[in-house]
Amino acid sequence: MRFSITREALQQGLAASAAAVPTRAALPVLSNILIHAEDDAVRLSGTDMSIFVSLSVPAEVSEAGVVALPARQLLEISRVLDDAPVKFAAADGSADGASAGVDIECGRSKFRLYGQAPDEFPDFPEIDFAGGWEMSAGELQTLIERTSFAVSTEDSRPILNGILWQLREAATVMVATNGHRLAKMSRELDVSGSPDEADLIIPPKALSQVQKLYPADTVLQVARSENHLAFRSADREVFTSLIEGPYPNYEQ
C-alpha cells in the first residue's frame, strides 16, 4: 500500500470516520480507522458496531491496499502536520502493513503506526439501496434540527433515547420526547422512489452525523433493512442500527 494525500483531505476523512469510533472499545479493532486506498481515492471508515461512517477523499494511489490504524494516534498526527502532501506506505511493502506497520511522512515529520489486520474490521451492514428512496439532505436536516433537542438522555426508558421517524404515503413525521417535553415536525414527502410505510427509531448520534457530513443541497440515497438504516451520497455513507421496540403514542 502506498499513497499521497493532502493534509486537508486527510483531516476531513479522519474527522468524519473518527466520529463513530468509541471512546472505550469493546473490541480492540474498533479503536481503529479502516483506510482503503484504491484508484484515485482513499476511503476512511469507523464504527462502534452501532453506527458506521465512511468518507472517500481524493488521493494519489500508487499501490492499492487496506489497513486498520489507531484512530486516536492518526488524529494526533494529523493536527501537527505541515501543510504539505502526506505520504502513507506499508513499511514492508505489503498491501496492509499489519505486521511491519505503516510509515507516514509529511515534510520533515516521520511516523510509524502499527494497527491490526484489516480483515478483523467489521463489515458494514448489507442494505439493498435498490429498494430505497432519495430525498434532500436539507429537508432531513431540518426535521432533525427541529426535534432532536427533545430526546431523552436518561437510561430509564431506552426507547426515548431514540428519535421516531414515521414514513407515510404522502408525509414524513419526526418526533422526539423525554416524557416531559415533546417536539414534532411533519413535512410532505418530497422524495424520488416510494419508501414503505414504517416507524423507525433512530439513535440521535447517527442523525447528528447526517447533519454534519452532508451539505444541505446533497441528494441522499436512503435505504433500510429490518434492523438498519443507511444514508449515502457519492462519497460518504452513514449506517446505523435501529432501536427496537414500540414508541409511545405521542398523540394521546
Side-chain angles (χ1 to χ4, degrees), residues 23-155:
T23 304
R24 296 181 179 178
L27 300 173
V29 73
L30 299 182
S31 298
N32 292 270
I33 288 175
L34 188 71
I35 302 175
H36 190 173
E38 189 175 28
D39 298 328
D40 57 355
V42 169
R43 180 168 288 275
L44 299 97
S45 305
T47 181
D48 61 2
M49 295 299 290
S50 174
I51 298 170
F52 299 74
V53 175
S54 74
L55 179 67
S56 182
V57 291
E60 295 180 6
V61 180
S62 51
E63 294 180 19
V66 58
V67 64
L69 294 176
R72 182 178 59 82
Q73 291 171 267
L74 279 171
L75 285 167
E76 290 174 350
I77 289 172
S78 71
R79 295 188 185 108
V80 300
L81 294 176
D82 296 331
D83 188 8
V86 187
K87 299 176 182 178
F88 283 70
D92 59 358
S94 67
D96 61 25
S99 57
V102 173
D103 290 329
I104 303 172
E105 295 186 16
C106 180
R108 296 182 179 180
S109 301
K110 294 183 179 181
F111 308 88
R112 177 169 291 184
L113 289 184
Y114 294 88
Q116 291 185 248
D119 56 6
E120 296 180 14
F121 198 86
D123 293 329
F124 274 40
E126 293 187 8
I127 297 181
D128 182 12
F129 278 88
W133 65 97
E134 294 183 347
M135 67 181 300
S136 161
E139 288 285 330
L140 180 57
Q141 289 163 348
T142 298
L143 289 166
I144 298 168
E145 181 182 355
R146 301 289 176 83
T147 56
S148 58
F149 68 89
V151 75
S152 175
T153 57
E154 299 180 2
D155 296 330

Side-chain angles (χ1 to χ4, degrees), residues 1-17:
M1 182 192 71
R2 185 181 300 273
F3 66 88
S4 177
I5 186 172
T6 66
R7 183 187 65 173
E8 181 181 5
L10 176 63
Q11 290 175 336
Q12 181 187 17
L14 288 175
S17 54

Side-chain angles (χ1 to χ4, degrees), residues 163-176:
I163 297 174
L164 174 65
W165 190 19
Q166 295 181 309
L167 300 172
R168 298 295 183 260
E169 183 177 352
T172 179
V173 181
M174 196 164 280
V175 179

